[in-house]
Amino acid sequence: DTGAGISDSVIDLVLCSSQVLLVVTPEPTSITDAYALLKTLQRQEEFEGGKMKIHMISNRTQSEDEGRELYRKLSAADGDGIPWKRST
């Protein structure tokens, strides 16, 4: 658990992980933080997308559809650079 925001220690921790659980709520600040973390990871020289799986967990959503919409927004904004592991 790293909380909101991005620091060097958060990036280092994530880069050392083979799997990441990215918990996102529908709140705009949560979506922005998640997107910023994903983009920051992509720019890291040490980032090896094929070796890391990123799982998104939607929290505080009212329905499965709202969770899927949250996933769609983040994965669409990301493009093809993040190795999302999709499970339903």
Side-chain angles (χ1 to χ4, degrees):
D1 182 15
T2 62
I6 301 172
S7 67
D8 289 341
S9 61
V10 169
I11 296 300
D12 290 343
L13 176 68
V14 173
L15 288 172
C16 290
S17 304
S18 60
Q19 293 194 36
V20 175
L21 302 176
L22 184 65
V23 180
V24 185
T25 71
E27 295 294 318
T29 53
S30 177
I31 296 168
T32 300
D33 280 350
Y35 178 78
L37 176 63
L38 295 173
K39 287 303 181 184
T40 301
L41 282 176
Q42 284 181 312
R43 289 192 297 262
Q44 300 301 309
E45 189 175 304
E46 302 90 349
F47 179 71
E48 297 181 39
K51 294 184 179 182
M52 179 188 297
K53 298 294 180 199
I54 298 177
H55 305 265
M56 190 200 92
I57 299 171
S58 58
N59 191 19
R60 298 183 183 166
T61 54
Q62 299 300 313
S63 67
E64 185 176 334
D65 287 341
E66 186 179 8
R68 289 183 188 275
E69 178 64 14
L70 190 55
Y71 172 84
R72 187 195 63 72
K73 285 179 183 177
L74 273 177
S75 60
D78 158 61
D80 295 326
I82 296 294
W84 291 100
K85 175 68 176 167
R86 183 169 182 176
S87 55
T88 56

